[in-house]
């Protein structure tokens, strides 16, 4: 991703698979040292790493700068064996495929190794692997390991670390930077967050600091990776779906919520969809990728885990009055992806007991204040969608509507496209497209590259169930454009009823289940997907019920220990002698261990551990803003704007100007508030949800608690095609007057649409 005004300089190909990468290792030991022998894939280069075993609590690693041949390496090992015969000689330990890292608890250092791997995909010749088996080995020899009284705690920390299952959902590559998007990998533009998605960054810090290279370690990404071959018509293509989970503020559902003071949010996941043209080896290949993001609502909020309440209250803190942490979060998104940042907020509009709607109000207020300080072209675009409400309406095609929202976002951000030319020596991007009429790879026509600038950020409460439905819709809409650009289809649209759309849905459904298990403890609630496939309703309800129970049990009984394990693995908590053990702390206190010592109270008798965004929050009964506030209430001084979507059937009639908001008390709305429009980009469409995070069966009514500076507009006021927002000059000065006149300064197209209700095309 690049910023809006800084296009990347791309190369003609993904960096070649170099034989300099070490891909297979053999570990040997003597009494005083470990020796790791690493070799390249073609066995042309052999390197040696020595790890000192004589120090009981220190880690000393040295790398032999010599590159050996296979025979030279064998001679070296023989000399090492001969020199250590008096203490047992050189012994083979294991074959491995990379070092995950080193860690120390209260005693010795341990080394984590990948001992078995499996290939799960290939990106431009670069293999991607998953871990099949791993091992943890103590570094010091048994004769020098300290005999400590705290061995019980040492073993407990070791057990915690081993509970992070490296064989599930971790993946890596020796030669491709899988932690970065395809666009960034082809770009010379470097940004921060280089290790945001590298989960073993803490574990590899010691060896990187000592060796100043990463030849011996792998960079583990946590999330989801799936590569499949699909077809449309008689043409095949390869699709890769990648989810990268951020290591910052990582954890489990109720123990990590909202944002922290550094602007990092819980459940922060980047999703990338890559499409590769299926061509013979040696031909230029067209490649397209698109990236979207999900993450917890960037406010200070929490939910108390309870074994007695399956739906804990949402507790919203008012400590950050200026929304500094929220601002930091969006600044980070802009740095990573550029502008525009489009926020799709799927939480509920109206509830019998306000829960999600509290956050809806506060989130909108935060965006409004942030936008006041941003130039017009960089303002956040904020879309409200009550997905729960409309998913209950059988006549509403939820996925079709979400697809139109996705099209709107794609119009603003674009997507990445280029052509990779194998074995090219040129350093300039060759923008070309293979001519199907020619069999020679040199015969191709030029096609300009495309770049994605900006990102769609989707959230619900957990950023699991409803969010995954919306992310599939985005991937579905993007796939049509990607295949059209490559030249596989004539129009940039894939029918939702097609086999290809169904195949894509199943891949996203599997991704959603995987991410939900990681964060929420159960597979995702996939009611909308099940209904789309025509699954028996009773079977769907049974599945949803058991997943709700599974998630509840995991959250109430297992997440505390799981959070401890994550904190140890990521280095958020580092054990030290003389300080409280991790399981003796309230879960937020561990961040202070190491910098403030033990001068704080320890909460030893906890019922279930809490890990809030920052600090301990108190529920504020007055969190809903009063009648004098410009947030959360319908105002009279509003300016109307058309909705950006509609259904093509009769359940969503076209926009007409015959009904005002006042005449439709049960209507839904799209509104800009007049006095804040110049500093905000808000759209509010009450609509849609999957089975939701809370699995509620509530009666939903038109809300007066709108979480943005807007009120209600009739749901009849829709268009039948996706369109971009009207410009500032295209907004009526008064919603009532919009029925009768068009104020000067509007575009002719917009004026015609308001006056006659015709379809408004982009």
């Amino acid at each position: 991703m690049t910023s809006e005004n800084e296009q990347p300089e791309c190369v003609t190909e993904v960096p070649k698979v170099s034989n300099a990468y070490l891909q297979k290792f053999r570990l040997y030991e003597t009494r005083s040292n470990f020796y790791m022998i690493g070799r390249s894939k073609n066995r042309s280069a052999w390197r040696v790493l020595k790890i000192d075993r004589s120090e009981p609590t220190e880690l000393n690693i040295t790398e032999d700068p010599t590159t050996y041949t296979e025979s030279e390496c064998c001679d070296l090992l023989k000399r090492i064996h001969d020199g250590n015969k008096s203490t047992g000689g050189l012994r083979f330990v294991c074959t491995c495929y990379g070092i995950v890292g080193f860690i120390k608890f209260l005693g010795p250092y341990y080394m984590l190794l990948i001992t078995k791997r499996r290939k799960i995909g290939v990106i431009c010749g670069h293999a991607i692997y998953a871990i099949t088996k791993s091992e943890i080995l103590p570094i010091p020899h048994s004769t020098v390991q300290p005999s400590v009284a705290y061995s019980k705690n040492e073993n407990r920390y070791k057990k915690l670390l081993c509970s992070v299952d490296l064989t599930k959902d971790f993946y890596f590559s020796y030669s491709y930077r899988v932690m970065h998007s395809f666009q960034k990998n082809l770009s010379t533009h470097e940004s921060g967050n280089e290790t945001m998605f590298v989960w073993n960054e803490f574990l590899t810090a010691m060896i990187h600091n000592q060796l100043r290279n990463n030849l011996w370690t792998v960079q583990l990404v946590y999330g989801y990776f799936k590569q499949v071959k699909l077809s449309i018509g008689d043409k095949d293509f390869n699709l890769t779906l990648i989810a990268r989970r951020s290591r910052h503020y990582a954890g489990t559902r109720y123990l990590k919520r909202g944002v922290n003071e550094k602007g990092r949010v819980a459940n922060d996941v980047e999703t990338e969809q890559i499409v590769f043209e299926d061509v013979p080896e040696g031909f230029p290949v067209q490649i397209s990728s698109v990236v979207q993001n999900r993450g917890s609502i960037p406010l200070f909020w929490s939910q108390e885990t309870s074994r007695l309440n399956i739906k804990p209250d949402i507790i919203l803190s008012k400590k950050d009055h200026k929304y500094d942490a929220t601002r930091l979060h969006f600044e980070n998104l802009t740095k990573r992806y550029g502008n525009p940042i489009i926020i799709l907020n799927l939480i509920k509009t109206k509830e019998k007991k306000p829960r999600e709607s509290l956050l809806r109000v506060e989130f909108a207020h935060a965006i409004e204040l942030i936008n006041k300080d941003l130039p017009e072209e960089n303002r956040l675009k904020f879309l409200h969608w009550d997905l729960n409400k409309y998913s209950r309406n059988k006549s509403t095609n939820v996925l079709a509507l979400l697809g139109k929202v996705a099209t709107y976002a794609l119009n603003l951000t674009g997507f990445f496209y280029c052509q990779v030319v194998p074995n090219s020596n040129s350093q300039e991007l060759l923008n070309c497209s293979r001519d199907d009429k020619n069999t020679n790879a040199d015969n191709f026509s030029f096609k300009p590259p495309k770049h994605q600038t900006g990102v769609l950020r989707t959230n619900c409460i957990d950023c699991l169930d409803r969010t995954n439905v919306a992310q599939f819709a985005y991937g579905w809409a993007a796939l049509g454009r990607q295949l059209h650009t490559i030249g596989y289809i004539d129009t940039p649209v894939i029918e939702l009823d097609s086999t290809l759309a169904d195949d894509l849905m199943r891949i996203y459904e599997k991704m959603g289940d995987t991410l939900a298990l990681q964060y929420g403890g159960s597979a995702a609630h996939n009611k909308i997907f099940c209904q789309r496939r025509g699954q028996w309703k009773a079977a769907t309800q049974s599945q949803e019920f058991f997943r709700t129970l599974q998630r509840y049990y995991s959250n109430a009984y297992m997440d505390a220990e799981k959070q401890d394990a994550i904190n140890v693995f990521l280095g958020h908590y580092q054990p030290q002698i003389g300080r409280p053990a991790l399981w003796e702390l309230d879960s937020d206190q561990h961040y202070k261990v190491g910098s403030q010592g033990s001068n704080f109270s320890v909460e030893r008798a906890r019922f279930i551990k809490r890990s809030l965004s920052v600090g301990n929050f108190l529920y504020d009964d007055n969190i809903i803003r009063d009648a004098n506030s410009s947030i959360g209430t319908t105002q009279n001084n509003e300016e109307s704007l058309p909705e950006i979507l509609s259904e093509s059937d009769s359940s969503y009639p076209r926009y007409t100007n015959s009904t005002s908001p006042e005449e439709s008390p049960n209507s839904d709305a799209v509104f800009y508030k007049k006095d804040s429009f110049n500093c905000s980009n808000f759209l509010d469409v009450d609509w849609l949800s999957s089975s939701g995070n809370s699995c509620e069966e509530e009666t939903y009514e038109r809300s007066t608690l709108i979480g943005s500076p807007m009120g209600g507009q009739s749901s009849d006021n829709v268009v039948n095609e996706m369109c971009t927002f009207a410009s500032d000059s295209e907004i009526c000065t008064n919603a009532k007057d919009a029925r009768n006149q068009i104020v000067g300064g509007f575009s002719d197209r917009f004026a015609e649409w308001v006056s006659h209700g015709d379809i408004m095309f982009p």
Side-chain angles (χ1 to χ4, degrees):
M1 301 300 151
T2 62
S3 63
E4 191 173 29
N5 297 321
E6 188 173 5
Q7 295 291 351
E9 297 178 5
C10 294
V11 297
T12 58
E13 59 187 55
V14 174
K16 298 183 182 68
V17 180
S18 172
N19 287 324
Y21 294 106
L22 304 180
Q23 298 194 19
K24 192 171 183 178
F25 308 84
R26 289 175 66 86
L27 184 66
Y28 298 86
E29 67 171 351
T30 64
R31 182 169 180 171
S32 56
N33 293 294
F34 276 120
Y35 292 92
M36 181 169 283
I37 311 300
R39 67 167 175 84
S40 59
K41 186 176 182 180
N42 67 353
R43 310 174 73 94
S44 64
W46 298 72
R47 300 291 299 272
V48 179
L49 186 74
K50 183 173 72 172
I51 305 169
D52 183 17
R53 304 186 69 194
S54 62
E55 291 291 339
T57 59
E58 299 296 327
L59 181 64
N60 296 311
I61 305 173
T62 56
E63 182 183 33
D64 188 336
T66 305
T67 299
Y68 296 93
T69 64
E70 185 171 2
S71 60
E72 291 172 340
C73 194
C74 290
D75 291 340
L76 175 64
L77 292 176
K78 186 177 184 302
R79 292 197 300 270
I80 294 173
H81 175 70
D82 293 341
N84 288 272
K85 280 186 177 180
S86 62
T87 56
L90 183 71
R91 294 177 298 276
F92 173 74
V93 178
C94 67
T95 298
C96 57
Y97 297 92
I99 298 174
V100 174
F102 296 85
I103 192 169
K104 171 185 170 67
F105 304 124
L106 301 173
Y109 271 92
Y110 297 88
M111 176 168 56
L112 283 74
L113 299 174
I114 299 171
T115 53
K116 290 185 180 180
R117 68 184 183 186
R118 60 186 175 89
K119 190 175 178 179
I120 57 176
V122 177
I123 298 179
C124 292
H126 299 260
I128 312 298
Y129 296 96
I131 300 173
T132 304
K133 186 179 179 181
S134 63
E135 290 188 17
I136 179 170
L137 302 174
I139 296 297
H141 192 267
S142 57
T143 57
V144 296
Q145 286 187 21
S147 176
V148 293
Y150 46 79
S151 58
K152 182 178 179 180
N153 281 356
E154 178 80 5
N155 290 333
R156 187 167 177 179
Y157 283 123
K158 185 178 176 181
K159 183 180 178 181
L160 269 179
L161 180 73
C162 292
S163 68
V164 178
D165 191 350
L166 297 180
T167 66
K168 289 185 178 179
D169 310 327
F170 285 92
Y171 53 92
F172 66 95
S173 175
Y174 299 105
S175 54
Y176 179 80
R177 297 186 300 174
V178 72
M179 74 291 299
H180 296 158
S181 69
F182 193 84
Q183 176 171 320
K184 185 173 181 181
N185 273 318
L186 285 184
S187 172
T188 58
H189 172 76
E190 297 292 338
S191 64
N193 307 290
E194 290 292 329
T195 63
M196 178 178 183
F197 302 113
V198 179
W199 271 58
N200 60 331
E201 171 67 12
F202 165 72
L203 297 176
T204 57
M206 286 289 290
I207 184 172
H208 289 168
N209 289 338
Q210 293 189 34
L211 303 185
R212 302 298 178 183
N213 67 54
N214 57 3
L215 278 177
W216 304 91
T217 60
V218 298
Q219 293 179 298
L220 293 183
V221 181
Y222 186 44
Y224 180 79
F225 185 98
K226 184 67 175 180
Q227 190 170 78
V228 296
K229 177 173 284 190
L230 300 175
S231 62
I232 183 166
D234 58 350
K235 299 178 180 178
D236 295 334
F237 65 93
N238 297 307
L239 183 137
T240 304
L241 187 63
I242 305 173
R244 306 176 180 96
R245 181 176 294 280
S246 171
R247 66 182 174 88
H248 301 303
Y249 203 52
T252 56
R253 186 188 182 198
Y254 287 140
L255 302 181
K256 283 289 183 256
R257 288 296 212 193
V259 70
N260 66 15
E261 289 178 332
K262 295 182 179 180
R264 308 295 189 179
V265 295
N267 200 17
D268 189 348
V269 181
E270 176 184 275
T271 301
E272 182 178 19
Q273 178 176 291
I274 310 176
V275 174
F276 298 85
E277 184 183 20
D278 189 28
V279 297
E281 185 176 353
F283 277 84
V285 55
Q286 297 181 85
I287 303 176
S288 174
S289 76
V290 66
V291 171
Q292 55 181 317
N293 177 267
R294 71 171 74 186
S296 189
I297 296 173
L299 301 170
F300 290 118
W301 63 282
S302 65
Q303 283 180 282
E304 285 279 8
T305 307
S306 171
R307 296 178 184 175
L308 303 176
N309 184 3
I310 200 170
K311 294 191 301 181
D313 289 337
I314 289 175
I315 304 170
L316 179 61
S317 171
K318 299 177 70 175
K319 61 172 293 181
D320 189 9
H321 298 287
K322 296 181 179 180
Y323 304 105
D324 291 331
T326 309
R327 193 183 307 270
L328 282 174
H329 172 68
F330 287 112
E331 287 175 355
N332 178 264
L333 280 181
T334 302
K335 183 179 180 181
R336 285 157 54 191
Y337 302 110
N339 284 308
I341 303 298
I342 307 164
I343 305 159
L344 178 57
N345 184 27
L346 301 172
I347 62 179
K348 298 172 185 175
T349 302
K350 179 65 175 179
E351 302 161 289
K352 290 181 179 179
K353 180 180 180 181
R355 295 176 67 253
E356 296 186 12
S357 50
L358 295 174
L359 296 176
R360 181 180 169 99
V361 172
E362 196 73 9
F363 195 12
H365 186 60
I367 300 302
E368 182 184 24
L369 292 184
I370 291 171
N371 274 343
K372 287 181 179 179
D373 298 328
L374 295 175
E376 181 179 347
E377 65 274 12
N378 294 337
R379 288 172 187 159
L380 305 173
K381 299 185 182 299
F382 195 33
L383 291 80
H384 282 303
W385 309 97
D386 186 348
L387 196 148
N388 239 13
K389 179 177 180 180
Y390 278 82
S391 65
R392 302 176 189 276
N393 186 346
K394 294 182 179 180
S395 64
T396 302
N397 190 336
V398 168
L399 293 176
L401 294 176
L402 278 170
K404 293 184 177 182
V405 176
T407 303
Y408 161 75
L410 285 165
N411 285 340
L412 294 176
T413 66
F415 58 94
F416 179 72
Y417 165 84
C418 75
Q419 183 151 4
V420 173
V421 182
N423 301 320
S424 172
N425 294 321
S426 172
Q427 295 303 309
E428 299 177 357
L429 178 62
L430 181 59
N431 307 311
C432 55
S433 162
R434 184 170 54 86
D435 187 347
D436 291 333
K437 297 180 181 179
N438 298 312
T439 58
N440 190 328
D442 293 330
N443 295 325
F444 45 75
S445 59
F446 288 93
K447 187 182 290 186
K450 299 176 183 288
H451 298 95
Q452 179 175 346
T453 55
V455 73
L456 173 66
R457 181 200 192 275
T458 306
N459 72 266
C460 48
I461 287 296
D462 295 330
C463 303
L464 298 177
D465 311 320
R466 288 170 281 186
T467 295
N468 202 60
V469 174
Q471 290 211 325
F472 158 70
Y474 186 82
W476 163 53
L479 182 59
R481 295 195 175 201
Q482 290 174 300
L483 293 177
H484 177 256
T485 301
I486 289 174
Y488 274 26
I489 55 179
D490 296 329
T491 59
V493 177
I494 297 172
E495 294 297 327
L496 191 54
D497 294 327
S498 67
T499 302
L500 178 57
D502 187 61
D503 291 339
L504 185 69
M505 180 188 297
R506 292 181 186 277
I507 299 171
Y508 271 87
E509 184 176 1
K510 178 61 177 175
M511 180 188 74
D513 288 342
T514 301
L515 297 178
L517 280 165
Q518 294 167 7
Y519 181 66
S522 78
H525 293 289
N526 293 316
K527 185 170 69 176
I528 289 178
F529 292 151
C530 294
Q531 290 174 343
R532 182 73 196 177
R533 288 194 297 267
Q535 183 172 308
W536 185 34
K537 184 177 181 181
T540 301
Q541 291 175 337
S542 176
Q543 173 183 283
E544 298 298 289
F545 174 73
F546 281 108
R547 288 183 177 181
T548 298
L549 289 182
Q550 182 185 9
R551 191 173 293 185
Y552 160 73
Y553 178 82
S554 178
N555 298 159
Y557 294 91
M558 300 174 66
D559 279 2
E561 185 169 332
K562 185 177 178 181
Q563 185 69 56
D564 283 346
I566 292 172
N567 291 336
V568 169
F569 187 88
L570 294 176
H572 294 328
Y573 175 86
Q574 299 176 40
Q576 296 184 33
I577 299 174
R579 289 175 177 162
L582 176 58
W583 42 89
E584 295 175 338
L585 300 175
D586 179 74
S587 60
D588 268 349
Q589 291 176 331
H590 65 260
Y591 288 105
K592 300 179 182 178
V593 173
S595 60
Q596 297 182 7
S598 57
N599 296 324
F600 53 84
S601 61
V602 178
E603 213 178 293
R604 296 179 181 272
R606 63 179 179 179
F607 169 63
I608 189 73
K609 188 169 63 171
R610 298 175 62 200
S611 181
L612 313 180
S613 294
V614 173
N616 297 320
F617 304 150
L618 299 177
Y619 182 78
D620 187 346
D621 292 330
N622 299 318
I623 196 67
I624 301 178
R625 302 181 183 278
D626 58 32
N628 296 324
S629 172
S630 62
I631 306 298
T633 57
T634 303
Q635 304 291 328
N636 292 326
N637 56 342
E638 291 165 336
E639 301 185 2
S640 62
L641 195 69
E643 296 186 13
I644 61 173
L645 55 92
S646 75
E647 289 217 274
S648 58
D649 57 33
S650 59
S651 64
Y652 264 71
R654 256 180 220 184
Y655 171 87
T656 62
N657 58 6
S658 60
T659 305
S660 68
E662 290 80 1
E663 295 170 337
S664 300
N666 295 320
S667 65
D668 299 312
V670 184
F671 265 112
Y672 283 82
K673 190 167 75 69
K674 182 178 180 180
D675 57 6
S676 68
F677 176 76
N678 290 332
C679 63
S680 302
N681 284 314
F682 283 96
L683 174 69
D684 194 320
V685 181
D686 288 331
W687 174 61
L688 304 171
S689 176
S690 69
S691 60
N693 315 88
S694 54
C695 301
E696 297 170 318
E697 293 294 335
E698 299 176 346
T699 302
Y700 291 87
E701 303 172 345
R702 178 179 182 271
S703 173
T704 57
L705 185 66
I706 304 296
S708 65
M710 340 165 201
Q713 175 189 354
S714 171
S715 60
D716 292 346
N717 301 346
V718 296
V719 290
N720 290 331
E721 202 58 49
M722 198 68 191
C723 61
T724 57
F725 285 123
S727 63
D728 288 4
S729 62
E730 294 173 343
I731 307 301
C732 300
T733 57
N734 189 291
K736 296 180 181 179
D737 296 337
R739 292 175 293 164
N740 304 318
Q741 63 179 1
I742 301 299
V743 179
F746 302 134
S747 69
D748 293 338
R749 183 183 60 164
F750 184 78
E752 182 179 0
W753 178 80
V754 173
S755 299
H756 304 293
D758 292 333
I759 297 175
M760 182 178 177
F761 294 96

